[in-house]
Amino acid sequence: LWRRSSPDYAKAKKIYRFWAGNSCKSPTSVRTLQGFARADLTGESFADKFIAGGFPAKFWDTVILAALDGAQDFAGAMRTKRVTSLKKLVVGLCNFYASHELESAI
């Protein structure tokens, strides 16, 4: 998907928004990366510190969609910037959501 000279951003966006893969909360409840990004985690220590640091609550969803669409800070950006940013953003999002899972477990 990313190794092509012209990445398929539309397919990546579809995966981000709809594809649940193997991440299920239950047999009938699937999770998506966009679901992670849109989750309301206010009231949890890690999320509250993130928001207190100046990031909007829906930061992850906004910036990932902008990178996928080539909009806002990514308008006219070269392939390397968009692809590298998207990879790092998804890793950051997963770490952010993992902190929620950890906090929920303890």
Side-chain angles (χ1 to χ4, degrees):
L1 185 67
W2 299 117
R3 291 189 172 119
R4 299 166 54 188
S5 61
S6 181
D8 190 343
Y9 295 107
K11 184 175 183 179
K13 186 174 180 178
K14 186 175 181 180
I15 291 168
Y16 171 72
R17 294 181 65 212
F18 303 113
W19 186 69
N22 295 317
S23 183
C24 298
K25 277 290 233 192
S26 72
T28 58
S29 177
V30 297
R31 301 186 297 183
T32 65
L33 288 171
Q34 188 171 46
F36 291 176
R38 290 185 171 181
D40 181 6
L41 305 180
T42 53
E44 296 184 12
S45 61
F46 192 79
D48 287 349
K49 287 189 186 322
F50 187 80
I51 293 165
F55 295 96
K58 302 299 183 212
F59 165 80
W60 294 107
D61 191 44
T62 302
V63 73
I64 289 171
L65 287 174
L68 288 167
D69 293 338
Q72 298 170 16
D73 291 339
F74 299 94
M78 301 294 289
R79 174 201 174 282
T80 301
K81 179 179 178 177
R82 282 179 71 190
V83 169
T84 303
S85 295
L86 281 161
K87 288 177 181 180
K88 290 177 182 276
L89 285 164
V90 170
V91 168
L93 169 61
C94 290
N95 283 325
F96 185 73
Y97 197 79
S99 73
H100 154 70
E101 292 290 357
L102 177 63
E103 193 166 330
S104 295
I106 53 176

